[in-house]
Amino acid sequence: MSPIVNSPSGLKSTSSSIRLPSQRLHIADEWRPTFRDIWRTQRSVRTVVDRLATDVAQLPWSCFQRSDEGMRRLRGHRLTDAIDRPYPGVSRMWMRRQWLTDFLVWGNGFLLIEEIDDRLCLIHVPAPLVTPKDASLIAGPQRFTIAFESREYTVDARQIVQLNEPGDDKTPWIGVSKLEAARDILAEDYQSVKARTELASRGLRT
């Protein structure tokens, strides 16, 4: 579990929730696994997700600042230092892999920006713990809540780095998992296993 830090910026409780896309995939009436379950139990899904997350995490990551004059690459900036050294005791490879794995599995990856001891830190927050609040269709969420150890914290949207897939029409700023595309394949595999199990069971009874 990634660390959640109570910092001087202050994390407060909030309300006004938003209806999010389901985190379960309806494969059959008796099987509605979560995206995490699919990633953990389907070997082909696990292999692809882990390989992509590892390969992309190894690429050089650069920071750019957008202005009226265009894009300017940042060098020697606090944010570039945070990308290379995200949090005390946490390697940049671990942080990147966790962030990218969340993105590939849930369609959303979240990093919390916190200043700790005059140092800018990037903290991975597991996607299922994060909920957007007070959003508009154009501006997106103004705040995010983080549920951790039976408590709920609120952070300003400017403290969250979000990597997301395109969303649906109602919540375009909340990504929809690509695992939705695996629904038919998983359903076929499930029915095949179920049929073989039933056939073997009848054969044993006879």
Side-chain angles (χ1 to χ4, degrees):
M1 183 65 68
S2 299
I4 307 296
V5 178
N6 257 321
S7 70
S9 64
L11 300 175
K12 303 175 182 178
S13 62
T14 190
S15 58
S16 182
S17 61
I18 298 169
R19 185 175 180 83
L20 300 178
S22 174
Q23 294 186 0
R24 291 184 177 272
L25 198 60
H26 186 179
I27 306 298
D29 289 341
E30 63 273 26
W31 189 38
R32 300 188 181 191
T34 65
F35 293 130
R36 177 184 289 276
D37 292 336
I38 295 173
W39 171 66
R40 293 180 64 180
T41 62
Q42 302 299 310
R43 183 172 58 182
S44 57
V45 173
R46 182 69 176 259
T47 299
V48 171
V49 167
D50 289 356
R51 178 64 182 271
L52 282 173
T54 300
D55 288 351
V56 176
Q58 292 175 339
L59 297 174
W61 289 21
S62 302
C63 294
F64 294 85
Q65 184 177 38
R66 182 184 289 111
S67 66
D68 295 338
E69 299 176 355
M71 302 288 287
R72 180 174 65 89
R73 183 171 179 176
L74 297 178
R75 300 179 186 275
H77 192 273
R78 295 176 71 202
L79 183 57
T80 60
D81 293 339
I83 290 176
D84 287 336
R85 297 181 296 122
Y87 186 77
V90 174
S91 70
R92 64 182 180 185
M93 187 65 182
W94 184 91
M95 183 272 287
R96 294 178 181 186
R97 284 193 62 195
Q98 298 298 314
W99 191 37
L100 291 165
T101 297
D102 279 3
F103 167 70
L104 293 168
V105 174
W106 281 281
N108 298 277
F110 298 97
L111 296 177
L112 176 64
I113 303 173
E114 285 290 350
E115 188 167 349
I116 303 172
D117 296 331
D118 296 326
R119 172 182 169 183
L120 196 65
C121 297
L122 295 176
I123 304 166
H124 168 252
V125 184
L129 304 184
V130 182
T131 303
K133 300 284 185 177
D134 303 328
S136 67
L137 187 62
I138 297 176
Q142 302 303 302
R143 285 170 287 280
F144 289 84
T145 61
I146 301 171
F148 182 68
E149 292 186 345
S150 302
R151 299 181 64 185
E152 191 174 79
Y153 305 95
T154 297
V155 296
D156 189 272
R158 291 172 295 182
Q159 285 183 263
I160 293 290
V161 182
Q162 180 182 3
L163 179 66
N164 65 281
E165 291 281 359
D168 57 26
D169 294 338
K170 295 182 179 179
T171 54
W173 20 261
I174 295 295
V176 176
S177 175
K178 283 187 178 298
L179 295 185
E180 290 276 359
R183 186 194 306 270
D184 292 342
I185 296 174
L186 292 171
E188 290 175 4
D189 289 346
Y190 175 76
Q191 294 299 337
S192 296
V193 172
K194 184 178 178 180
R196 289 197 299 269
T197 302
E198 291 176 352
L199 182 62
S201 178
R202 287 197 297 269
L204 288 174
R205 285 199 297 268
T206 58

